[in-house]
């Protein structure tokens, strides 16, 4: 049982460690130390649901409903580009030098809603976690659920480390300019992801 679980851990981490909209948001909230627990919990639980759905066979069902992926694709693109614009405004405004460290942040509801949107409106989540991970897990039959367990553990470890470990970078981000650089990078990442979704 251990090898499939380790394979799931490694494969799951390989899918979520890449820089993306969700990771960028978790990092930003971790650096601000705002609502980190609820956001980490939402991201990890969302991954758990998606992993279980993929291993349970939903990936095959999604592949038979291209219209659903089309709707998610354009909705996700609109959201990502909109978030990129907001991040770019924070990076370019002169008062953004202090806004990130002293200004008001997102409320709990806003933060959780944003994390949920960045998770569930991203078509790559369905393609990678549900379809791809589900397919790979099922090559480990009859131990596909051990594979799923390993992938789920990887998700919990990653989001916990990213969210709660971000405070270790506090000294770097004590300088307001670092926040402008981070928001500029987030804007570019999210704009790139949004455009990629639009052009397929």
């Amino acid at each position: 049982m251990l090898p499939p679980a380790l394979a799931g851990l490694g494969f799951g981490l390989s899918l979520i460690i890449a820089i993306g909209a969700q990771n960028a948001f978790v990092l930003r909230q971790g650096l601000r130390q705002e609502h980190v627990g609820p956001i980490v919990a939402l991201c990890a639980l969302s991954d758990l649901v998606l992993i279980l759905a993929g291993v349970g066979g939903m990936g095959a069902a999604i592949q038979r409903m291209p219209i659903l992926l089309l709707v998610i694709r354009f909705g996700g693109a609109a959201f990502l580009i909109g978030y990129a614009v907001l991040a770019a405004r924070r990076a370019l405004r002169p008062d953004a030098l202090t806004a990130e460290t002293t200004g008001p942040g997102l409320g709990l509801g806003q933060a959780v809603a944003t994390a949920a949107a960045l998770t569930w409106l991203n078509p790559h989540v369905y393609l990678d976690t549900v379809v791809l991970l589900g397919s790979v897990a099922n090559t480990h039959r009859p131990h596909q659920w051990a594979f799923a367990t390993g992938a789920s553990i990887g998700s919990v470890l990653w989001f916990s480390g990213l969210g709660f470990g971000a405070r270790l970078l506090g000294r770097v981000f004590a300088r307001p300019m670092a926040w402008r650089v981070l928001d500029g990078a987030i804007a570019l990442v999210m704009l790139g992801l949004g455009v990629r979704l639009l052009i397929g």
Side-chain angles (χ1 to χ4, degrees):
M1 293 290 284
L2 188 57
L6 289 176
L9 176 65
F11 191 77
L13 285 172
S14 72
L15 291 179
I16 63 174
I17 285 178
I19 295 174
Q22 184 190 49
N23 284 342
F25 182 74
V26 173
L27 175 62
R28 184 176 182 277
Q29 292 303 111
L31 287 167
R32 286 193 61 116
Q33 298 183 36
E34 287 180 349
H35 318 302
V36 179
I39 289 172
V40 167
L42 183 140
C43 292
L45 287 173
S46 295
D47 256 19
L48 175 62
V49 170
L50 292 163
I51 289 167
L52 294 178
V55 177
M58 185 174 283
I62 287 178
Q63 288 178 309
R64 293 194 293 267
M65 293 186 295
I67 189 66
L68 177 61
L69 281 180
L70 195 64
V71 170
I72 296 170
R73 171 183 160 195
F74 286 107
F79 181 83
L80 290 171
I81 292 172
Y83 196 93
V85 170
L86 293 177
R89 286 180 61 191
R90 287 195 304 267
L92 295 173
R93 281 190 329 214
D95 60 346
L97 281 171
T98 57
E100 289 294 351
T101 53
T102 63
L106 297 175
L108 176 60
Q110 284 180 299
V112 169
T114 301
L118 289 172
T119 300
W120 293 95
L121 290 180
N122 182 2
H124 292 295
V125 166
Y126 301 95
L127 295 174
D128 292 346
T129 308
V130 179
V131 178
L132 181 58
L133 190 144
S135 298
V136 173
N138 281 295
T139 65
H140 288 79
R141 287 183 178 274
H143 304 301
Q144 70 271 27
W145 294 110
F147 185 98
T149 299
S152 299
I153 291 172
S155 180
V156 171
L157 292 175
W158 171 252
F159 287 118
S160 297
L162 186 63
F164 294 108
R167 69 183 62 190
L168 299 177
L169 297 173
R171 184 171 297 179
V172 173
F173 284 89
R175 294 175 294 176
M177 180 59 77
W179 284 100
R180 296 184 69 176
V181 173
L182 176 65
D183 273 321
I186 289 173
L188 290 174
V189 168
M190 296 200 182
L191 178 63
L193 290 171
V195 170
R196 279 185 61 194
L197 289 178
L198 285 178
I199 65 177

